[in-house]
Amino acid sequence: MKLLVQPDDGVNELVKGINAAKTTIEITIFRFDHRKVESALTNAAKRGVFVHALIARVNSGGEKYLRKLEMRLLDRGITVGRTDNSLARYHSKLMIIDRQVLYLMGFNYTYLDIVHSRSFGIITKNKRIVQEGVRLFEADAKRQSYVAGLETLVVSPVNARKGLTAFIRGARKQLLIYDPKISDTPMIHLLQQRARAGVEVRVIGKMSHNHAEITVRKMANMRLHTRTIIRDRRRAFIGSQSLRAIELDGRREAGLIFHDGKALGGLVKIFEKDWETATSGALSKQQKGLSTGKAAKRVAEMVTQENASLAVLIEGSLKEIVGTGDKVKVNSRKVERNIQEAIRSVVDETLKDAIVEAKSNE
């Protein structure tokens, strides 16, 4: 088992794996703009390797972009499939080489994630893990239901909540967590319970509320794009799902629980280094939660690629769900000028997140 560390490792290990492929490459794609990875996949297809790319139906970059990527890969001899629309998003990051090596990443194949962000990935040749990764890929490629066959492969929405709950509950001394936004109430309560039981809980990232028992710091010097939990320095989880309801229960996400000593040692060392430079202190008002009015503004900003009528939808939905005590005003004309593409699933998710944050301030 090998630990991938971003931005330190870059794409060298990914390209090396692709270049070594002899028969098949199966890869899931949510975001993709790294030319070296694309070139390696193209060359693999040219030398006769069957390259099967499963591309997300939607992402916040826009369906138009995804379809351009799809056509570009098809032109390069790569077999392309689209994910189903049964889940809010297909956000997992897997690559399987010759059905013998599994790459499971927390990062996308983008310069932003690989060059400018803290993230991790795992490379494993463990037969059971690889076989389960193949089963997951095949199920999603064929748009069939996936039934979890391995507890250590954590797949949302199938076994992620159960698996991560058990993983966190098993902590006896320490939990070291990277997470861009912890907001799931049951998971927060579980972290509080472990802290009250004497477990040291440290988080690099954000939580939806301040909790006296849990120390939270903000990542410094670089963007945070990993979901990682280190338990008692003996086991760890790396995956694509945060401790957020939508990522546990509504998306396709994938992660791995493992206990490889060398990989764990590297993770702990990097966490402690990042912890030393991380920003300490209470969360700002913006991080704690947004008022209804600010939530509406936040959503409007995040959906500049959406349909013009969404401004009305956002305003009406927030009033209905949050209440009218703090009136929401959205400049529909301004939103309309900025709108370029309609990505309905992204809007739905953003709206849900904003409502949760707004309601937390009531």
Side-chain angles (χ1 to χ4, degrees):
M1 185 170 284
K2 181 178 177 61
L3 175 69
L4 295 178
V5 180
Q6 302 302 1
D8 301 0
D9 289 336
V11 297
N12 291 339
E13 288 293 335
L14 300 179
V15 171
K16 180 180 177 182
I18 294 169
N19 289 343
K22 297 178 180 179
T23 57
T24 61
I25 298 172
E26 293 155 306
I27 183 171
T28 62
I29 295 173
F30 181 69
R31 289 193 177 94
F32 190 111
D33 65 22
H34 207 292
R35 293 298 181 182
K36 286 186 178 180
V37 178
E38 183 173 335
S39 177
L41 291 173
T42 301
N43 290 335
K46 287 181 179 178
R47 66 175 185 269
V49 175
F50 176 68
V51 183
H52 188 180
L54 184 59
I55 299 180
R57 179 176 54 88
V58 293
N59 69 24
S60 57
E63 185 176 359
K64 184 177 179 181
Y65 162 78
L66 288 170
R67 300 295 74 85
K68 284 183 178 179
L69 172 63
E70 179 181 319
M71 297 308 298
R72 194 166 71 243
L73 295 181
L74 285 170
D75 287 343
R76 285 156 173 71
I78 295 170
T79 299
V80 175
R82 298 185 191 180
T83 58
D84 199 1
N85 60 1
S86 59
L87 297 172
R89 279 187 182 180
Y90 282 74
H91 190 243
S92 60
K93 299 104 169 52
L94 301 173
M95 183 170 71
I96 308 166
I97 304 296
D98 295 334
R99 299 202 163 185
Q100 295 179 354
V101 186
L102 173 69
Y103 294 67
L104 189 149
M105 286 82 69
F107 53 89
N108 296 291
Y109 310 98
T110 66
Y111 289 96
L112 178 62
D113 282 8
I114 293 172
V115 179
H116 300 290
S117 305
R118 168 67 75 228
S119 195
F120 301 107
I122 286 290
I123 306 173
T124 180
K125 295 181 180 180
N126 181 286
K127 290 184 179 180
R128 292 187 66 198
I129 297 173
V130 175
Q131 288 172 0
E132 194 64 21
V134 170
R135 286 187 62 245
L136 174 61
F137 183 91
E138 287 186 337
D140 285 346
K142 296 176 182 178
R143 302 189 178 188
Q144 297 175 347
S145 297
Y146 167 74
V147 178
L150 191 64
E151 290 183 355
T152 52
L153 187 64
V154 181
V155 180
S156 300
V158 181
N159 67 347
R161 183 174 290 280
K162 179 181 178 181
L164 290 178
T165 295
F167 180 71
I168 293 170
R169 186 173 287 137
R172 295 293 175 262
K173 296 180 179 179
Q174 187 183 64
L175 287 166
L176 306 177
I177 302 173
Y178 288 99
D179 199 312
K181 183 60 179 293
I182 300 174
S183 62
D184 182 74
T185 299
M187 287 296 185
I188 291 175
H189 288 168
L190 180 58
L191 292 174
Q192 288 178 301
Q193 290 170 6
R194 298 318 302 145
R196 290 166 185 162
V199 174
E200 177 191 21
V201 182
R202 286 189 272 158
V203 177
I204 295 178
K206 296 179 183 179
M207 293 186 71
S208 56
H209 300 282
N210 283 331
H211 302 279
E213 309 94 335
I214 301 170
T215 306
V216 181
R217 293 185 180 181
K218 185 179 179 181
M219 188 76 189
N221 304 323
M222 73 180 78
R223 174 175 173 260
L224 178 64
H225 195 268
T226 184
R227 286 80 167 163
T228 298
I229 306 173
I230 306 166
R231 188 183 81 183
D232 296 332
R233 305 195 175 210
R234 293 188 175 185
R235 294 177 72 84
F237 161 81
I238 292 176
S240 64
Q241 57 265 73
S242 292
L243 299 181
R244 301 171 62 222
I246 187 66
E247 296 185 30
L248 295 171
D249 304 323
R251 293 180 174 184
R252 170 67 79 235
E253 310 277 1
L256 184 67
I257 295 173
F258 61 94
H259 54 82
D260 182 85
K262 186 176 181 180
L264 274 166
L267 266 181
V268 171
K269 183 177 180 180
I270 293 167
F271 184 94
E272 294 293 2
K273 181 180 178 181
D274 288 342
W275 184 260
E276 289 178 3
T277 60
T279 304
S280 182
L283 296 177
S284 67
K285 290 181 179 180
Q286 183 180 6
Q287 292 168 336
K288 287 178 182 177
L290 302 172
S291 68
T292 306
K294 289 183 178 180
K297 182 178 179 181
R298 171 78 175 275
V299 175
E301 290 173 352
M302 294 179 70
V303 297
T304 55
Q305 295 179 321
E306 293 297 334
N307 190 289
S309 63
L310 290 171
V312 177
L313 171 63
I314 293 165
E315 180 177 353
S317 298
L318 283 170
K319 284 183 178 180
E320 179 182 351
I321 299 173
V322 181
T324 58
D326 184 7
K327 293 185 178 179
V328 181
K329 294 183 179 180
V330 179
N331 187 332
S332 298
R333 292 182 180 178
K334 184 175 180 180
V335 174
E336 183 176 1
R337 285 197 300 268
N338 292 325
I339 290 171
Q340 297 176 3
E341 299 180 37
I343 312 295
R344 187 175 301 277
S345 65
V346 175
V347 176
D348 290 343
E349 179 194 342
T350 305
L351 180 58
K352 289 175 183 176
D353 289 348
I355 289 168
V356 169
E357 291 179 333
K359 290 189 72 174
S360 70
N361 273 345
E362 288 183 337

